[in-house]
Amino acid sequence: MTRFLLRRFAMGLVLLFVYVSGLFFFVQIALPGDYVSHFALFLSNAETEALRDQLGLNLPIWQRYLNWLFNLLRGDLGIAYSIRGEGQAVTEIIKNTLPVTLLIFGLGTVIAFLIGQWLGKITAWRGPGFLSGSVTFISIALYTSFPPWLVFLVIYLVVWRLDIPISLQGRPGFNVPDMSRAQILWQILAGLLISIFIALIVAWASSRFRKKPLPALMFFLVLLVSWIASWYILGIQNSIPEILRQLTLPTITFILLSFGEVVLIMRTSMVDKIDEDYIQTAKAKGLPDNKVRDKHAARNALLPVTSRLIISIPFLLSGMVMIEETMNVQGIGTALFFAVGMQNIPLALGISIVIGIICLAARLLLEVMQAALDPRIRSGLNGRVRTP
Amino acid sequence: VNTIVYVTSNNTIDQKERIKIWFITTIHHSREAWSIYSRNKLAVFGLALLFIYVLITLIYPALLKTKWPKRVYDPVVGHDMMIFPHPSPPSTAHLLGTDTLGRDVLSRLMAATLPSLRMALTAALTSAIVGTLIAAISANYRGLVDNAFSGLADLSLMVPAPIVMVIIGFVLDISDFHFGLIYGLLVGVGAVAIVLRSHAITIMTKSFIDAARMSGGGGMYIATRHLIPHLLPLAAVNMLLTVTGAIFANGFIAFLGLSRAQLNWGSMIYDSFTYQQINGTITWNVLVPSALFISLFAASFYFIALGLHDVVDPRQAERSSPIRVKGEKKQILKIPWRFSKPELKAPDIYEYKFPAEKHTTKEFQLATDLTNISPRIDTATVVFEGIQSSFYECFPISVMLIKLIHDNSLTATSTGMVSESIESIMDRIDTRILNLGGWVKILDHKSLIASYGLTAHTPAQASSLQAARVGLELKDLLNDDPQRRNDELINAKICVGIACGEINLLPKENSDLINTLLSSEPGLVAKTLSYFSGFMKNGGVLICENTFRHLYAVQHHFVFGRKGMAQLPVEKGEGMVYEISGYNLQGKKNELSKQHQGRC
């Protein structure tokens, strides 16, 4: 398992390098004009040239590439272009915009996955009926709904009809969010990671000492309690309501957008499993119905869902970016659009790298999960492949 | 009840008949596929939806020419002076009302259908073609090419295709056709290729690929004739699933106001939002229909994909099979559609005509199907007519034959009719098997020799591989019943597989072919022979001189027994025969008994 992870990781690094290099040339060559030409109307010729010199845009492309690459190897993503004096460091901008995206995307994906697989499981197990039909209808409707339209509907229903005050600006473009908010978000994220760790330890201890696995509900309760506790320990409890006010709506929209697909895959996969012989056997042994459903059918049905999710991650992420753009969340997607629109090459490259890394990490996580779910894959990873 | 299996073959099919057979099979297949597809109501609904969209694109130009005056109904500059104020709610003149600028909403919706349809179809086709090609190439050649392509696929998973498209649309104003092309390329290299590649690799392990390879099919031939046709259905499913992403990305570009020149459902929503910010009224009559048009358009492709998925999934097909035997508990007989229904109810005579030599899969399917129903057959008479010794026919038929014979001998053992039962059949088929280039002989009650020295077309490796395969089939048969396995397989003096025949150096234009065979097959032969003979406690596999020379390179995998002269089935005169055995399952070498030396 460790060897597999290391190999995947090394492979990921190589891919990342190829990706980054390809991206550099693609962005430079495919986009017409450059950063300076956007402001050409306001600047005199001499000023334009001076700015080009200052930003290093007059150098040949391979030299720019090598410079950028060496900086990258040192962990320096460069400085975002700016016409007024010294620009901000790209790492700084990413540091400020990443936590919102991570929080919404990570939390949203996990919740969407949990809800989706649960609904798919239940509806497939019950068979055709009112519940199953309506759940399927809703999931298809959500899966095929145009993201901006969904955003509009959610805003319309929640903000205008229900009169719940949620701060939503118009469409003012991109402002780098202030540092303190980003810091608080990072702290929330760190708190979440630590709480997951604590909950895992509690679950492990429960199965080790009580000889009983921790119920899923208890797991989430521990998670929630320790997360909330972490806010108080870090001393950020006062800013939580404000952050909640800003993030709840995008998160809910993201969940709505992504859980339909999970429901549909889980349902089809589960329906396939119900006819299997081992389900009959499990029922014949006299196991309670929900045990057969959860332990025998659902566990097997989850495999195709996770493998499909690996492929869907980029698509979920782009849905996320669409939501960010329409809801004007100052996240990494908005920053990316801003950077590309202005041809702010270092910023665009830096953000693309971060998105690539998120995709890679999510994929690695799912692969580990798949190995944990499927003993066949696990044994394959350990090198014990059964001969035919 | 006597059930007779008539197996006839007619190799002299002319072009006309071939086309007829192709036509009939296609009709049958599509009918079967439709019966599975139409069970899914949503899939039928999706097809109807897509049909409506196509209809809209066809009707719209005509409608604009005849019924709707351009001045009022033009999707971009039309304006109705008779109505004030705009936006107006639905009326008889404007079924969905007008938007803030006084343009007819329905007309705009219909005008945007053609570009969207063109984009979606381009994206779907491109992704399917690219994905299938990459999957076929990497499954066929493996090695470096495969690694390169899977690296590319991994790479594309790091770049979300919709985001790339939005970024491209940000800077370049691309047409819907180019949009579909680029999107299809991105997704085809990535997600679709990943799914299809793993499917292609499982296909490459199937026996019909081996058969094609052994009879001299090159990589290109196998890829085009066998691999790609099997990949196409799954490719269809995946290409339809990619459409959803493409539609949303396209709509989103339009939504961001980046491609304003193009009329698009996304841009209609964007316009509506913009005007709402100006005058504060929400134009529901624009928003809801355009959102519905986008959603239903995406949904129609998704539903069609659902239906196609059912068609592709073999388990679904099985579940739908109408043939169920009463009294037996839910047992489903898998019998090819070619048997008509009345015959199935009272199976007295199965008559099966081999249509053409290249339908290997179907024949193999038939062979296995026949063996599935064999408990119901009392005596089997297998008549071959007009068979040429082509590998396509030999392999499935001989598998079927061995199974039938073996089954009958075992059921007959209890009634004490062994020798008669087997030998009476043997008498009848012996000469015909010789025609096939194969040779079956009974040594005593429970052992038989199957030997295949095919004709000059087939190299020795292929024959021995084939013989070993038949032996494996036999072993599988016994494996089903642990009692039989313990009693019989271990102690059976089965001596299977004299591989003989010459390695013919073919004329120069075919020299590439013989190289392929020599370079790729021996390893497989050795593996299969070793694996098979490992199961036998007594006896081993007899191989001929040529095969022996060939296996000499991998001799550490085998135990070599005695050698002796024997009459080889096809060749005239005697030839040297070697006895070999592989490792058994515990990793020990078998001890060869000395009983069968030189008896062949």
Side-chain angles (χ1 to χ4, degrees), chain B residues 253-439:
Chain B
I253 292 181
F255 174 79
L256 289 176
L258 297 172
S259 55
R260 292 288 296 283
Q262 291 172 32
L263 190 54
N264 193 301
W265 298 319
S267 74
M268 288 177 69
I269 296 180
Y270 172 78
D271 285 349
S272 174
F273 285 168
T274 317
Y275 301 137
Q276 178 245 315
Q277 276 175 5
I278 295 169
N279 60 13
T281 49
I282 302 174
T283 47
W284 289 108
N285 65 326
V286 183
L287 279 176
V288 174
S290 37
L292 259 185
F293 257 59
I294 276 203
S295 288
L296 286 181
F297 191 61
S300 76
F301 283 95
Y302 175 71
F303 290 152
I304 294 173
L306 275 187
L308 282 183
H309 176 82
D310 284 358
V311 175
V312 178
D313 191 3
R315 278 178 300 183
Q316 290 280 341
E318 200 174 298
R319 216 173 287 159
S320 75
S321 169
I323 308 142
R324 292 200 173 177
V325 178
K326 271 185 186 170
E328 287 178 53
K329 229 169 78 185
K330 248 194 174 182
Q331 191 196 351
I332 299 164
L333 293 179
K334 280 195 290 174
I335 292 170
W337 48 265
R338 258 173 276 204
F339 300 117
S340 56
K341 267 181 190 170
E343 275 180 299
L344 283 174
K345 276 177 188 162
D348 268 347
I349 295 173
Y350 290 117
E351 195 163 351
Y352 177 70
K353 197 167 180 167
F354 276 80
E357 53 182 83
K358 281 180 183 166
H359 287 240
T360 323
T361 29
K362 279 284 172 196
E363 285 156 14
F364 192 80
Q365 186 61 39
L366 179 88
T368 37
D369 287 340
L370 278 178
T371 48
N372 281 347
I373 55 171
S374 65
R376 298 167 69 197
I377 299 177
D378 291 333
T379 324
T381 310
V382 185
V383 183
F384 298 94
E385 283 172 12
I387 284 179
Q388 285 179 4
S389 40
S390 126
F391 176 79
Y392 285 109
E393 293 160 336
C394 290
F395 179 52
I397 294 174
S398 45
V399 168
M400 181 179 76
L401 199 66
I402 296 293
K403 278 187 170 181
L404 283 177
I405 292 169
H406 202 265
D407 262 12
N408 280 323
S409 80
L410 288 172
T411 48
T413 321
S414 53
T415 54
M417 289 169 64
V418 192
S419 51
E420 285 171 32
S421 159
I422 295 182
E423 268 151 15
S424 59
I425 298 170
M426 287 308 303
D427 280 346
R428 263 182 268 171
I429 60 173
D430 201 17
T431 49
R432 294 206 160 99
I433 289 217
L434 265 177
N435 278 341
L436 282 173
W439 187 65

Side-chain angles (χ1 to χ4, degrees), chain A residues 16 144 264 314 326 337 363 388, chain B residues 154 157-158 166 255 295 302 531:
Chain A
L16 203 63
T144 58
L264 294 174
T326 15
F337 283 126
R363 187 150 167 230
Chain B
D154 281 353
L157 280 193
M158 284 164 63
V166 171
F255 174 79
S295 288
Y302 175 71
Y531 180 57

Side-chain angles (χ1 to χ4, degrees), chain A residues 37-115:
Chain A
S37 63
H38 277 267
F39 305 99
L41 283 181
F42 307 103
L43 301 172
S44 67
N45 276 353
E47 276 176 323
T48 315
E49 278 311 301
L51 195 56
R52 284 223 167 95
D53 271 342
Q54 187 200 330
L55 298 175
L57 287 173
N58 280 338
L59 294 174
I61 190 165
W62 59 269
Q63 207 169 339
R64 269 186 280 159
Y65 172 63
L66 286 184
N67 283 346
W68 180 71
L69 202 64
F70 281 126
N71 282 338
L72 186 67
L73 287 182
R74 277 190 272 122
D76 180 11
L77 284 169
I79 290 168
Y81 293 162
S82 159
I83 45 166
R84 293 180 217 92
E86 190 75 349
Q88 252 185 315
V90 172
T91 15
E92 204 65 22
I93 297 180
I94 291 176
K95 224 185 259 173
N96 289 348
T97 50
L98 185 61
V100 184
T101 311
L102 269 188
L103 208 60
I104 299 177
F105 178 66
L107 216 59
T109 311
V110 170
I111 294 176
F113 178 75
L114 289 176
I115 297 176

